[in-house]
Amino acid sequence: MTVGIVGAGQLGRMMALAGYPLGLDFLFLDPSEQPPAAALAPVLRSAFTDADALAALARRCEVVTIDWENVSVAALRSLGRGTRVCPPPAAIAAAQDRVSEKRLFEKLGIATTRWRAVGSRRQLDAAVRDIGLPGILKTRRMGYDGKGQAVLRTAADLEGAWARMGQVPLLFEELVPFDLEVSVIGVRGRRGECQVYPLNHNLHCGGILRLTRAPFGNARLNRLARAHVLALMEHLRYVGVLTVEFFVRGGKLVANEMAPRVHNSGHWTIEGAVTSQFENHLRAILGLPLGETRAKGYSAMINLIGTLPGRSRLLRHPGVHLHDYGKEPRPGRKLGHLTVVEDNASRCDRRARALLAEVAPEIHIP
Ligand code: AMP
Protein backbone atom coordinates (compact mmCIF):
# COMPACT_ATOMS: atom_id res chain seq x y z
CA MET A 1 0.00 0.00 0.00
CA THR A 2 1.62 3.24 -1.15
CA VAL A 3 0.96 6.66 0.33
CA GLY A 4 1.61 9.64 -1.96
CA ILE A 5 2.86 12.76 -0.20
CA VAL A 6 2.99 16.18 -1.82
CA GLY A 7 6.05 17.80 -0.27
CA ALA A 8 9.10 15.83 0.83
CA GLY A 9 10.23 17.92 3.78
CA GLN A 10 10.88 16.79 7.34
CA LEU A 11 7.16 16.23 7.99
CA GLY A 12 6.94 13.81 5.08
CA ARG A 13 10.14 12.16 6.21
CA MET A 14 8.74 11.59 9.72
CA MET A 15 5.49 10.28 8.20
CA ALA A 16 7.48 7.71 6.25
CA LEU A 17 9.47 6.79 9.36
CA ALA A 18 6.16 6.17 11.16
CA GLY A 19 4.64 4.27 8.25
CA TYR A 20 7.35 1.71 7.48
CA PRO A 21 6.68 -0.36 10.62
CA LEU A 22 3.03 -0.58 9.47
CA GLY A 23 4.18 -2.07 6.17
CA LEU A 24 3.44 1.04 4.10
CA ASP A 25 5.37 2.40 1.13
CA PHE A 26 5.77 6.04 0.16
CA LEU A 27 6.14 8.13 -2.97
CA PHE A 28 6.81 11.86 -2.74
CA LEU A 29 6.40 14.83 -5.04
CA ASP A 30 8.70 17.81 -4.49
CA PRO A 31 10.52 20.36 -6.66
CA SER A 32 13.76 20.49 -4.65
CA GLU A 33 17.01 18.71 -5.39
CA GLN A 34 17.59 16.68 -2.21
CA PRO A 35 14.55 17.09 0.09
CA PRO A 36 14.68 15.48 3.57
CA ALA A 37 12.35 12.60 2.62
CA ALA A 38 14.49 11.62 -0.40
CA ALA A 39 16.67 9.50 1.89
CA LEU A 40 13.65 7.29 2.62
CA ALA A 41 11.54 6.99 -0.52
CA PRO A 42 11.46 7.90 -4.23
CA VAL A 43 10.59 11.50 -5.14
CA LEU A 44 8.88 12.67 -8.34
CA ARG A 45 10.63 15.95 -9.00
CA SER A 46 8.09 18.55 -10.08
CA ALA A 47 6.44 21.81 -9.09
CA PHE A 48 3.60 21.56 -6.55
CA THR A 49 1.35 23.17 -9.17
CA ASP A 50 2.03 20.59 -11.91
CA ALA A 51 -1.32 18.82 -12.47
CA ASP A 52 0.27 16.09 -14.67
CA ALA A 53 2.85 15.21 -12.03
CA LEU A 54 0.14 15.12 -9.34
CA ALA A 55 -1.92 12.80 -11.53
CA ALA A 56 1.15 10.55 -11.98
CA LEU A 57 1.59 10.47 -8.19
CA ALA A 58 -2.10 9.69 -7.65
CA ARG A 59 -2.04 6.80 -10.16
CA ARG A 60 0.68 5.06 -8.17
CA CYS A 61 -0.81 5.62 -4.69
CA GLU A 62 -3.71 4.47 -2.54
CA VAL A 63 -4.16 7.94 -1.09
CA VAL A 64 -2.58 11.37 -1.59
CA THR A 65 -1.72 13.62 1.35
CA ILE A 66 0.43 16.71 1.97
CA ASP A 67 3.38 17.71 4.13
CA TRP A 68 3.10 21.39 3.12
CA GLU A 69 -0.18 23.22 2.82
CA ASN A 70 0.77 25.70 0.12
CA VAL A 71 0.09 23.21 -2.66
CA SER A 72 -2.18 23.96 -5.60
CA VAL A 73 -5.72 23.15 -4.49
CA ALA A 74 -6.86 23.48 -8.11
CA ALA A 75 -4.37 20.77 -9.12
CA LEU A 76 -5.49 18.54 -6.21
CA ARG A 77 -9.13 19.03 -7.24
CA SER A 78 -8.27 18.20 -10.85
CA LEU A 79 -7.37 14.68 -9.71
CA GLY A 80 -11.09 13.94 -9.72
CA ARG A 81 -13.31 11.65 -7.71
CA GLY A 82 -11.29 8.51 -8.34
CA THR A 83 -8.43 9.78 -6.16
CA ARG A 84 -8.63 9.96 -2.39
CA VAL A 85 -7.04 13.23 -1.24
CA CYS A 86 -6.69 13.72 2.54
CA PRO A 87 -7.21 16.18 4.10
CA PRO A 88 -10.05 17.33 1.84
CA PRO A 89 -8.95 20.08 -0.59
CA ALA A 90 -11.62 22.43 0.83
CA ALA A 91 -9.89 22.25 4.23
CA ILE A 92 -6.50 22.93 2.63
CA ALA A 93 -8.03 25.89 0.76
CA ALA A 94 -9.49 27.32 4.00
CA ALA A 95 -6.11 27.12 5.74
CA GLN A 96 -4.19 28.63 2.80
CA ASP A 97 -5.93 32.00 3.05
CA ARG A 98 -5.83 33.86 6.35
CA VAL A 99 -9.13 35.59 5.54
CA SER A 100 -11.10 32.39 4.91
CA GLU A 101 -9.45 30.90 8.01
CA LYS A 102 -10.64 33.84 10.17
CA ARG A 103 -14.16 33.63 8.69
CA LEU A 104 -14.28 29.92 9.45
CA PHE A 105 -13.21 30.50 13.08
CA GLU A 106 -15.91 33.17 13.41
CA LYS A 107 -18.57 31.02 11.80
CA LEU A 108 -17.88 28.25 14.33
CA GLY A 109 -17.84 30.66 17.29
CA ILE A 110 -14.09 30.27 17.87
CA ALA A 111 -12.72 33.57 19.19
CA THR A 112 -9.98 34.99 16.98
CA THR A 113 -8.06 38.26 16.64
CA ARG A 114 -9.78 41.42 15.36
CA TRP A 115 -8.80 41.69 11.69
CA ARG A 116 -9.41 43.41 8.35
CA ALA A 117 -8.59 42.29 4.81
CA VAL A 118 -6.25 44.77 3.11
CA GLY A 119 -6.06 45.09 -0.68
CA SER A 120 -4.99 48.71 -1.10
CA ARG A 121 -3.09 51.44 0.71
CA ARG A 122 -6.39 53.13 1.52
CA GLN A 123 -7.72 49.89 3.05
CA LEU A 124 -4.56 49.64 5.15
CA ASP A 125 -5.16 53.12 6.55
CA ALA A 126 -8.81 52.22 7.27
CA ALA A 127 -7.80 48.90 8.89
CA VAL A 128 -5.27 50.64 11.15
CA ARG A 129 -7.93 53.20 12.10
CA ASP A 130 -10.44 50.41 12.96
CA ILE A 131 -8.15 47.94 14.69
CA GLY A 132 -5.57 50.35 16.13
CA LEU A 133 -1.84 50.08 16.72
CA PRO A 134 0.20 48.08 17.46
CA GLY A 135 -0.95 45.58 14.87
CA ILE A 136 0.49 43.00 12.56
CA LEU A 137 0.32 42.98 8.78
CA LYS A 138 0.43 39.52 7.22
CA THR A 139 0.29 38.19 3.67
CA ARG A 140 -3.00 36.35 3.22
CA ARG A 141 -1.22 33.43 1.58
CA MET A 142 2.12 31.60 1.82
CA GLY A 143 2.97 32.78 5.33
CA TYR A 144 4.78 30.37 7.65
CA ASP A 145 7.41 30.54 10.40
CA GLY A 146 6.76 34.29 10.74
CA LYS A 147 7.51 34.93 7.04
CA GLY A 148 5.41 37.57 5.27
CA GLN A 149 4.67 39.54 8.45
CA ALA A 150 5.41 43.03 9.72
CA VAL A 151 4.60 44.47 13.13
CA LEU A 152 3.28 48.03 12.85
CA ARG A 153 3.85 49.99 16.05
CA THR A 154 3.43 53.59 14.92
CA ALA A 155 1.89 55.33 11.91
CA ALA A 156 5.43 55.84 10.59
CA ASP A 157 5.75 52.05 10.08
CA LEU A 158 2.93 51.88 7.51
CA GLU A 159 4.79 53.33 4.54
CA GLY A 160 7.74 50.91 4.66
CA ALA A 161 5.56 47.85 5.34
CA TRP A 162 3.25 48.75 2.46
CA ALA A 163 6.23 49.21 0.12
CA ARG A 164 7.59 45.78 1.12
CA MET A 165 4.33 43.82 1.18
CA GLY A 166 1.69 45.80 -0.74
CA GLN A 167 2.01 43.78 -3.96
CA VAL A 168 -0.06 40.88 -2.59
CA PRO A 169 -3.38 40.59 -0.70
CA LEU A 170 -2.87 41.23 3.03
CA LEU A 171 -4.57 40.99 6.38
CA PHE A 172 -4.11 43.41 9.25
CA GLU A 173 -4.87 42.25 12.78
CA GLU A 174 -4.39 43.37 16.35
CA LEU A 175 -1.11 42.46 18.03
CA VAL A 176 -2.30 40.28 20.89
CA PRO A 177 -0.48 40.87 24.20
CA PHE A 178 -0.77 37.17 24.93
CA ASP A 179 0.24 35.44 28.16
CA LEU A 180 1.36 32.37 26.23
CA GLU A 181 0.84 30.37 23.05
CA VAL A 182 -0.62 26.87 22.81
CA SER A 183 -1.67 24.50 20.07
CA VAL A 184 -4.00 21.55 19.87
CA ILE A 185 -3.67 18.60 17.50
CA GLY A 186 -6.66 16.50 16.54
CA VAL A 187 -7.11 13.58 14.19
CA ARG A 188 -10.28 12.45 12.44
CA GLY A 189 -10.71 9.13 10.67
CA ARG A 190 -12.70 8.28 7.57
CA ARG A 191 -15.77 7.27 9.57
CA GLY A 192 -15.77 10.49 11.57
CA GLU A 193 -14.08 9.05 14.67
CA CYS A 194 -11.79 11.54 16.45
CA GLN A 195 -8.92 11.68 18.89
CA VAL A 196 -7.26 14.79 20.34
CA TYR A 197 -3.78 15.11 21.85
CA PRO A 198 -3.21 17.04 25.09
CA LEU A 199 -2.45 20.74 24.73
CA ASN A 200 1.02 21.95 23.70
CA HIS A 201 2.71 25.02 25.16
CA ASN A 202 4.77 26.70 22.43
CA LEU A 203 7.54 29.28 22.66
CA HIS A 204 8.37 31.18 19.46
CA CYS A 205 11.23 33.52 18.68
CA GLY A 206 11.15 35.68 15.55
CA GLY A 207 8.00 33.83 14.45
CA ILE A 208 9.74 30.43 14.56
CA LEU A 209 8.75 27.71 17.02
CA ARG A 210 11.67 26.98 19.37
CA LEU A 211 10.23 24.92 22.23
CA THR A 212 7.10 22.82 22.87
CA ARG A 213 6.09 21.36 26.23
CA ALA A 214 3.25 18.88 26.61
CA PRO A 215 0.91 17.96 28.17
CA PHE A 216 0.18 21.53 29.23
CA GLY A 217 -2.56 23.57 30.88
CA ASN A 218 -5.47 22.84 33.13
CA ALA A 219 -8.47 20.67 32.31
CA ARG A 220 -10.63 23.68 31.34
CA LEU A 221 -8.14 24.97 28.74
CA ASN A 222 -7.67 21.46 27.35
CA ARG A 223 -11.46 21.01 27.11
CA LEU A 224 -11.89 24.32 25.28
CA ALA A 225 -9.13 23.63 22.76
CA ARG A 226 -10.44 20.13 22.24
CA ALA A 227 -13.95 21.44 21.53
CA HIS A 228 -12.56 23.90 18.97
CA VAL A 229 -10.51 21.39 17.00
CA LEU A 230 -13.39 18.89 17.08
CA ALA A 231 -15.80 21.54 15.74
CA LEU A 232 -13.39 22.42 12.92
CA MET A 233 -12.79 18.78 11.96
CA GLU A 234 -16.51 18.03 12.00
CA HIS A 235 -17.39 21.09 9.92
CA LEU A 236 -14.68 20.39 7.33
CA ARG A 237 -15.48 16.64 7.24
CA TYR A 238 -11.81 16.39 7.85
CA VAL A 239 -9.70 13.25 7.47
CA GLY A 240 -6.18 13.27 8.94
CA VAL A 241 -4.37 15.44 11.48
CA LEU A 242 -5.42 19.06 12.01
CA THR A 243 -3.55 21.59 14.19
CA VAL A 244 -4.90 24.82 15.65
CA GLU A 245 -2.65 27.47 17.22
CA PHE A 246 -4.00 29.81 19.89
CA PHE A 247 -2.93 32.75 21.97
CA VAL A 248 -3.91 32.50 25.63
CA ARG A 249 -4.93 35.76 27.26
CA GLY A 250 -6.49 35.97 30.71
CA GLY A 251 -7.36 32.26 30.58
CA LYS A 252 -9.16 32.64 27.22
CA LEU A 253 -8.20 31.07 23.89
CA VAL A 254 -7.83 33.31 20.82
CA ALA A 255 -7.31 31.33 17.61
CA ASN A 256 -4.30 32.45 15.57
CA GLU A 257 -4.22 29.96 12.69
CA MET A 258 -4.68 26.36 11.72
CA ALA A 259 -2.51 23.92 9.79
CA PRO A 260 -4.18 21.11 7.80
CA ARG A 261 -1.37 18.68 8.57
CA VAL A 262 0.96 17.21 11.14
CA HIS A 263 2.67 20.04 12.99
CA ASN A 264 6.01 20.97 14.50
CA SER A 265 4.36 21.35 17.92
CA GLY A 266 3.39 17.66 17.73
CA HIS A 267 6.87 16.24 17.20
CA TRP A 268 7.04 15.27 20.87
CA THR A 269 4.33 12.66 20.20
CA ILE A 270 6.89 10.42 18.46
CA GLU A 271 8.39 9.41 21.79
CA GLY A 272 5.97 11.07 24.20
CA ALA A 273 2.51 9.79 23.20
CA VAL A 274 1.05 6.32 22.83
CA THR A 275 0.62 6.93 19.07
CA SER A 276 2.54 9.66 17.23
CA GLN A 277 0.79 12.34 15.19
CA PHE A 278 2.52 10.93 12.09
CA GLU A 279 1.23 7.40 12.62
CA ASN A 280 -2.25 8.67 13.47
CA HIS A 281 -2.36 10.78 10.30
CA LEU A 282 -1.52 7.67 8.25
CA ARG A 283 -4.04 5.55 10.15
CA ALA A 284 -6.74 8.17 9.53
CA ILE A 285 -6.17 8.61 5.80
CA LEU A 286 -5.94 4.86 5.21
CA GLY A 287 -9.17 4.09 7.11
CA LEU A 288 -7.31 2.21 9.85
CA PRO A 289 -8.33 2.39 13.53
CA LEU A 290 -6.92 5.53 15.20
CA GLY A 291 -4.34 5.10 17.94
CA GLU A 292 -4.50 6.46 21.48
CA THR A 293 -3.34 10.07 21.83
CA ARG A 294 -2.53 9.92 25.56
CA ALA A 295 0.84 11.29 26.69
CA LYS A 296 3.20 8.74 28.20
CA GLY A 297 4.79 11.34 30.48
CA TYR A 298 5.91 14.98 30.19
CA SER A 299 7.73 15.93 27.01
CA ALA A 300 9.78 18.86 25.82
CA MET A 301 10.72 19.33 22.16
CA ILE A 302 13.45 21.77 21.13
CA ASN A 303 13.93 22.82 17.52
CA LEU A 304 17.47 22.94 16.13
CA ILE A 305 17.57 26.06 13.96
CA GLY A 306 20.29 27.24 11.57
CA THR A 307 23.13 25.00 12.78
CA LEU A 308 23.19 21.45 14.03
CA PRO A 309 25.43 20.95 17.08
CA GLY A 310 27.62 17.83 16.99
CA ARG A 311 25.79 14.54 17.51
CA SER A 312 28.04 13.36 20.30
CA ARG A 313 27.55 16.63 22.20
CA LEU A 314 23.77 16.29 22.03
CA LEU A 315 23.62 12.59 22.79
CA ARG A 316 25.64 13.08 25.99
CA HIS A 317 22.41 14.33 27.56
CA PRO A 318 20.66 11.37 29.20
CA GLY A 319 17.36 10.36 27.64
CA VAL A 320 17.57 12.75 24.69
CA HIS A 321 16.09 11.76 21.32
CA LEU A 322 17.77 13.40 18.33
CA HIS A 323 16.02 13.88 14.97
CA ASP A 324 18.33 15.16 12.22
CA TYR A 325 16.35 15.99 9.08
CA GLY A 326 19.41 15.74 6.81
CA LYS A 327 19.13 19.35 5.61
CA GLU A 328 21.87 21.78 4.59
CA PRO A 329 22.44 24.31 7.40
CA ARG A 330 21.12 27.81 6.65
CA PRO A 331 20.22 30.65 9.03
CA GLY A 332 16.65 30.33 10.32
CA ARG A 333 16.20 26.83 8.84
CA LYS A 334 14.70 24.00 10.89
CA LEU A 335 17.40 21.30 10.73
CA GLY A 336 16.24 18.90 13.40
CA HIS A 337 14.78 18.61 16.87
CA LEU A 338 15.42 17.11 20.29
CA THR A 339 12.84 15.50 22.55
CA VAL A 340 13.02 14.46 26.18
CA VAL A 341 10.28 12.56 27.99
CA GLU A 342 10.16 12.35 31.77
CA ASP A 343 7.59 11.07 34.22
CA ASN A 344 7.11 14.43 35.91
CA ALA A 345 6.92 18.00 34.64
CA SER A 346 9.68 19.52 36.76
CA ARG A 347 12.21 16.84 35.78
CA CYS A 348 11.24 17.36 32.13
CA ASP A 349 11.77 21.13 32.44
CA ARG A 350 15.14 20.54 34.13
CA ARG A 351 16.30 18.37 31.24
CA ALA A 352 14.94 20.85 28.69
CA ARG A 353 16.76 23.75 30.42
CA ALA A 354 20.06 21.86 30.26
CA LEU A 355 19.54 21.24 26.53
CA LEU A 356 18.44 24.82 25.86
CA ALA A 357 21.57 26.15 27.62
CA GLU A 358 23.57 24.24 25.04
CA VAL A 359 21.60 24.71 21.81
CA ALA A 360 19.41 27.82 22.31
CA PRO A 361 20.55 29.87 25.34
CA GLU A 362 18.26 32.73 24.28
CA ILE A 363 15.16 30.59 25.00
CA HIS A 364 13.97 30.41 28.61
CA ILE A 365 11.25 28.26 30.10
CA PRO A 366 9.03 30.62 32.14
P1 AMP B 1 1.86 32.90 12.39
O1 AMP B 1 2.69 32.64 11.17
O2 AMP B 1 0.64 33.69 12.12
O3 AMP B 1 1.59 31.66 13.20
O4 AMP B 1 2.78 33.78 13.36
C1 AMP B 1 3.98 33.29 13.91
C2 AMP B 1 4.14 33.82 15.32
O5 AMP B 1 4.15 35.26 15.32
C3 AMP B 1 3.02 33.46 16.28
O6 AMP B 1 3.16 32.17 16.81
C4 AMP B 1 3.17 34.55 17.34
O7 AMP B 1 4.27 34.29 18.19
C5 AMP B 1 3.48 35.76 16.48
N1 AMP B 1 2.20 36.40 16.10
C6 AMP B 1 1.51 36.21 14.96
N2 AMP B 1 0.36 36.92 14.94
C7 AMP B 1 0.31 37.59 16.10
C8 AMP B 1 -0.64 38.49 16.70
N3 AMP B 1 -1.74 38.86 16.06
N4 AMP B 1 -0.36 38.97 17.93
C9 AMP B 1 0.78 38.61 18.59
N5 AMP B 1 1.71 37.78 18.07
C10 AMP B 1 1.49 37.26 16.86
Side-chain angles (χ1 to χ4, degrees):
M1 203 180 271
T2 303
V3 175
I5 304 184
V6 184
Q10 64 265 20
L11 300 180
R13 177 178 164 120
M14 287 184 269
M15 259 189 253
L17 286 169
Y20 284 125
L22 305 182
L24 305 175
D25 288 316
F26 294 86
L27 178 62
F28 288 89
L29 185 153
D30 197 288
S32 35
E33 191 78 51
Q34 264 305 314
L40 279 101
V43 182
L44 304 178
R45 191 119 79 77
S46 108
F48 293 129
T49 44
D50 183 339
D52 292 338
L54 267 177
L57 177 79
R59 271 194 303 276
R60 292 168 59 184
C61 299
E62 181 81 13
V63 58
V64 172
T65 190
I66 56 167
D67 103 324
W68 155 252
E69 65 267 42
N70 293 310
V71 295
S72 161
V73 169
L76 285 178
R77 284 193 170 124
S78 74
L79 292 174
R81 291 194 166 275
T83 304
R84 190 182 289 279
V85 178
C86 299
I92 301 173
Q96 278 181 349
D97 177 10
R98 291 189 189 273
V99 166
S100 45
E101 195 173 64
K102 296 278 181 208
R103 289 201 178 116
L104 178 59
F105 289 148
E106 288 170 350
K107 181 174 176 165
L108 297 177
I110 300 171
T112 186
T113 55
R114 289 184 300 119
W115 63 276
R116 293 285 181 278
V118 171
S120 67
R121 180 60 217 266
R122 186 179 296 183
Q123 281 178 355
L124 176 59
D125 290 337
V128 169
R129 253 195 326 274
D130 287 354
I131 305 288
L133 291 173
I136 182 160
L137 191 62
K138 299 180 174 183
T139 56
R140 275 176 67 166
R141 293 177 171 275
M142 299 296 286
Y144 68 98
D145 287 350
K147 292 185 172 62
Q149 298 189 2
V151 174
L152 308 185
R153 297 197 182 275
T154 69
D157 295 335
L158 268 68
E159 200 57 54
W162 179 255
R164 274 197 313 282
M165 299 170 66
Q167 301 75 17
V168 294
L170 301 168
L171 174 143
F172 180 73
E173 66 180 346
E174 62 182 311
L175 191 69
V176 180
F178 55 77
D179 303 322
L180 43 97
E181 291 185 88
V182 297
S183 60
V184 68
I185 299 178
V187 57
R188 186 171 181 271
R190 282 196 205 164
R191 286 165 294 278
E193 70 282 21
C194 294
Q195 293 273 358
V196 180
Y197 287 92
L199 208 54
N200 309 305
H201 173 215
N202 302 324
L203 275 182
H204 293 84
C205 192
I208 302 184
L209 180 68
R210 305 301 299 272
L211 168 77
T212 295
R213 295 149 78 221
F216 179 79
N218 56 29
R220 187 189 60 85
L221 213 58
N222 271 268
R223 252 196 328 270
L224 262 176
R226 180 187 166 85
H228 290 337
V229 73
L230 287 174
L232 283 161
M233 291 195 298
E234 193 59 41
H235 176 82
L236 295 165
R237 295 218 226 126
Y238 200 84
V239 178
V241 162
L242 177 72
T243 306
V244 192
E245 295 183 70
F246 300 94
F247 304 119
V248 183
R249 182 147 196 244
K252 295 208 169 78
L253 289 177
V254 178
N256 173 26
E257 62 175 0
M258 64 180 189
R261 53 168 169 77
V262 288
H263 194 257
N264 195 168
S265 63
H267 290 358
W268 66 270
T269 62
I270 297 174
E271 293 89 7
V274 175
T275 317
S276 81
Q277 61 165 348
F278 301 99
E279 181 174 332
N280 254 338
H281 181 70
L282 295 169
R283 288 185 184 216
I285 67 177
L286 289 165
L288 298 167
L290 299 183
E292 257 193 88
T293 46
R294 188 164 43 84
K296 292 196 275 192
Y298 288 84
S299 296
M301 187 284 315
I302 296 167
N303 269 339
L304 300 169
I305 313 276
T307 54
L308 207 60
R311 254 183 219 119
S312 51
R313 224 177 92 192
L314 296 172
L315 296 178
R316 259 205 312 266
H317 290 261
V320 73
H321 299 278
L322 167 63
H323 296 258
D324 175 346
Y325 308 149
K327 287 159 83 170
E328 280 300 312
R330 204 190 295 151
R333 203 172 195 207
K334 290 175 180 170
L335 302 177
H337 74 264
L338 304 170
T339 303
V340 285
V341 186
E342 290 292 341
D343 53 16
N344 72 62
S346 55
R347 191 169 314 142
C348 180
D349 283 350
R350 232 180 3 257
R351 286 238 186 274
R353 282 195 183 97
L355 282 165
L356 285 169
E358 191 146 342
V359 304
E362 68 280 21
I363 306 296
H364 300 282
I365 295 178

